[in-house]
Amino acid sequence: MDYEAKKRFLCQYVEGKGEIAALKNDLEFWRGVGESTSAGSGSIGNHSGGSKVESAAVHIAQIERQIDVDIKTCEETRENVRNALERFKTGKYKTILCDLYIDGKSRIQIANDRGMTIRAVNAMIHRAIDMIDI
């Protein structure tokens, strides 16, 4: 596996977490639409309000199903990434990859946590990705 393929493999988990967070934001939006429409419609027979509530309910159901699928996929991906990192022989490289690709820390956070420059962190990440056996 080349460098770019390894990097894409490692990025999957953090990206999956981001997708789940975005879906949760969408879910909250549609719940708010449903609640405000049903509360403001006044009567159940209101066609306009009813269709908005129905539309919100459909969106909510779709998003909830997608979140369930994404969570299962994300858990599997996390396990695959963790397994790859567990096979890593050097602790400092393993830790920096865990910080980046499991914990989702930024390179700036990693540099600050370790008292390193971003340039040094970037070089270390690059070497670690080259060295990892996936």
Side-chain angles (χ1 to χ4, degrees), residues 63-79:
I63 292 168
E64 286 176 338
R65 280 191 300 274
Q66 188 61 50
I67 287 172
D68 288 342
V69 169
D70 285 0
I71 286 173
K72 288 176 187 166
T73 302
C74 199
E75 288 171 348
E76 292 169 4
T77 302
R78 180 186 62 219
E79 198 59 34

Side-chain angles (χ1 to χ4, degrees), residues 20-76:
I20 291 169
L23 284 170
K24 286 181 178 180
N25 285 338
D26 288 350
L27 182 62
E28 291 306 311
F29 169 79
W30 284 106
R31 283 181 176 156
V33 168
E35 290 170 4
S36 67
T37 304
S38 63
S41 65
S43 69
I44 295 179
N46 185 338
H47 180 69
S48 169
S51 65
K52 287 181 183 178
V53 170
E54 288 170 12
S55 176
V58 168
H59 284 352
I60 288 168
Q62 289 172 339
I63 292 168
E64 286 176 338
R65 280 191 300 274
Q66 188 61 50
I67 287 172
D68 288 342
V69 169
D70 285 0
I71 286 173
K72 288 176 187 166
T73 302
C74 199
E75 288 171 348
E76 292 169 4

